[in-house]
Amino acid sequence: MNYISVFVYAVFFVSFLIGIQTAPRGQFRTDSLSLDAMTSLKGVMAIFVLFHHISQKQAFLETGTLSFFAEIGFLFVGVFFFTSGYGLYKSFSTKPDYLKGFLKRRVLPIVCSYYVMLAVYAVYYVITKPAFALSEWICKLTGLALINSQSWYVYVILIMYVSFYFIYKNEKAQKHSILIFTLITLVQGALFIVLKHFPWYAGETGWWKNPGVFASVPWWKKPCALLFEGEWWVNSTICFVLGLAVAKYEKQFMQWVEKKYPLKLLTEVLLCSIFNAAGFYCLWKVGYWTEFAGELGTAKKLICYVAQNFQVLSVVLLIIILMRKFYVKNRFYNFFGKISLEVYLMQEMVLFSWAYLIESENEPVISSENLNIALYALVVVVTVLCSAIIYRTINVKIAEKIKRC
């Protein structure tokens, strides 16, 4: 472990200690899933996701810097899906006529913020002059392809929000809402398993097995160029269903958790350890990216998908149970929680912009004492924060205008 990792981990540890909210001995935190608690949790996860993407840069991988974050980004995203599902159902069940104007109030601002982000990235790519074909520009500017690979989250959350609206508007569908949402997430999982990482079906059988073929194919045939090409689209969505279920049966669930709490916590820690071991084994030994080993690997992708679903569910459940006794809440994480989507969507552009500090001609550059790596991490965090604040300001103004219409 190098000094950069030690410093970052120590900062997180100290910040957690400063903001920790604990329950009195023999009691529980009745506000463990309150808006403040969930906002701070989202703030922690937003920063974790940022460090996850930083840690995946080749220079960081080769030096082992921030290696804790490298393979577990989907677990952090699972928390976001949980808070979304939980928050939607709680609002629906406690606010009269919550669905009235839902699409305008909750969905339209997300769509507008997406196109603001799209415009920002379009300007960025015009300035940096990437080799985009006309068809690629058209697809990216219309949303048929991603101009920002991390914006997949917006597509999925919009699917879940719109589904929520139509399901909960129908009294009959409400009764089976958990099952319906489970099926929606599984259909998305099946979509990735069929589509895989690129359009393998477009061309002669096994065209993608030819060495170097991706250097000469059209942009849309390259890996992860189209929608739902990539396991990150589907391997944490199940937590949205968990959020709905916990919100719907919160009283019964919390009573069950609190009864013999040490036993429940120990059991969940054990299950979490088992599912994480299985998930990482499947990720490393079975693998999603089977196409580059010469096979489509449908069965292997399915195995990894199922294993990671149990993995992310077990981790989020453990967090929920732990928060019944203590959770982190402070102004710092609360602030990041409020701009978590903006932090998420501004990352890719910033990560690319400063890449020259740690890369040269797509090869990692590592200076003495890893100083360039430390500098890269610092400037990325600061730039993402500044960009997110500006982006958030724009989004708030748009949302206010929508409310007046």
Side-chain angles (χ1 to χ4, degrees), residues 361-375:
E361 297 181 355
N362 294 321
E363 292 295 326
V365 174
I366 303 170
S367 66
S368 176
E369 302 297 329
N370 297 342
L371 291 178
N372 66 321
I373 293 177
L375 178 61

Side-chain angles (χ1 to χ4, degrees), residues 14-25:
V14 172
S15 68
F16 290 165
L17 286 181
I18 293 173
I20 196 166
Q21 308 290 312
T22 59
R25 184 178 180 85

Side-chain angles (χ1 to χ4, degrees), residues 9 48 55 64-72 76:
Y9 300 155
F48 279 8
S55 71
T65 304
L66 304 177
S67 57
F68 169 78
F69 300 100
E71 300 284 5
I72 57 176
F76 308 142

Side-chain angles (χ1 to χ4, degrees), residues 10-237:
V11 168
F12 278 123
F13 180 74
V14 172
S15 68
F16 290 165
L17 286 181
I18 293 173
I20 196 166
Q21 308 290 312
T22 59
R25 184 178 180 85
Q27 298 181 34
F28 298 93
R29 296 288 314 193
T30 57
D31 60 347
S32 62
L33 295 181
S34 65
L35 179 60
D36 283 345
M38 298 288 257
T39 301
S40 285
L41 177 62
K42 287 167 60 179
V44 174
M45 294 301 118
I47 300 172
F48 279 8
V49 168
L50 174 57
F51 278 103
H52 163 68
H53 288 129
I54 291 173
S55 71
Q56 290 188 315
K57 290 294 184 180
Q58 194 59 38
F60 284 76
L61 292 174
E62 291 193 8
T63 58
T65 304
L66 304 177
S67 57
F68 169 78
F69 300 100
E71 300 284 5
I72 57 176
F74 76 103
L75 300 179
F76 308 142
V77 177
V79 174
F80 286 110
F81 279 119
F82 171 82
T83 58
S84 294
Y86 178 86
L88 280 181
Y89 189 88
K90 289 293 286 187
S91 296
F92 168 75
S93 62
T94 58
K95 298 178 181 178
D97 298 323
Y98 179 68
L99 293 182
K100 186 177 181 180
F102 179 86
L103 295 179
K104 175 183 173 182
R105 187 178 67 256
R106 296 301 303 270
V107 174
L108 187 57
I110 297 176
V111 174
C112 291
S113 68
Y114 174 82
Y115 279 96
V116 171
M117 178 276 302
L118 191 152
V120 171
Y121 274 76
V123 171
Y124 168 76
Y125 282 121
V126 167
I127 293 172
T128 56
K129 298 179 180 180
F132 286 172
L134 177 61
S135 61
E136 186 174 3
W137 269 115
I138 292 172
C139 288
K140 289 182 184 297
L141 293 178
T142 56
L144 296 176
L146 300 183
I147 197 168
N148 169 8
S149 66
Q150 294 170 23
S151 62
W152 67 267
Y153 179 84
V154 176
Y155 288 71
V156 176
I157 206 65
L158 284 174
I159 290 173
M160 306 309 276
Y161 273 41
V162 173
S163 299
F164 182 91
Y165 174 74
F166 286 106
I167 290 170
Y168 281 93
K169 274 196 71 173
N170 186 308
E171 291 185 7
K172 292 183 179 180
Q174 282 184 39
K175 298 177 182 178
H176 308 287
S177 59
I178 304 300
L179 175 60
I180 294 172
F181 268 105
T182 301
L183 292 175
I184 290 172
T185 63
L186 294 179
V187 166
Q188 292 178 62
L191 186 60
F192 156 67
I193 291 169
V194 170
L195 295 177
K196 303 180 178 25
H197 290 101
F198 49 80
W200 54 272
Y201 46 83
E204 297 181 1
T205 302
W207 63 267
W208 40 273
K209 295 182 182 180
N210 298 325
V213 68
F214 288 106
S216 58
V217 297
W219 69 270
W220 56 272
K221 289 181 101 173
K222 294 182 179 180
C224 308
L226 303 178
L227 307 185
F228 279 94
E229 291 180 346
E231 62 275 9
W232 48 88
W233 284 80
V234 300
N235 60 1
S236 58
T237 317

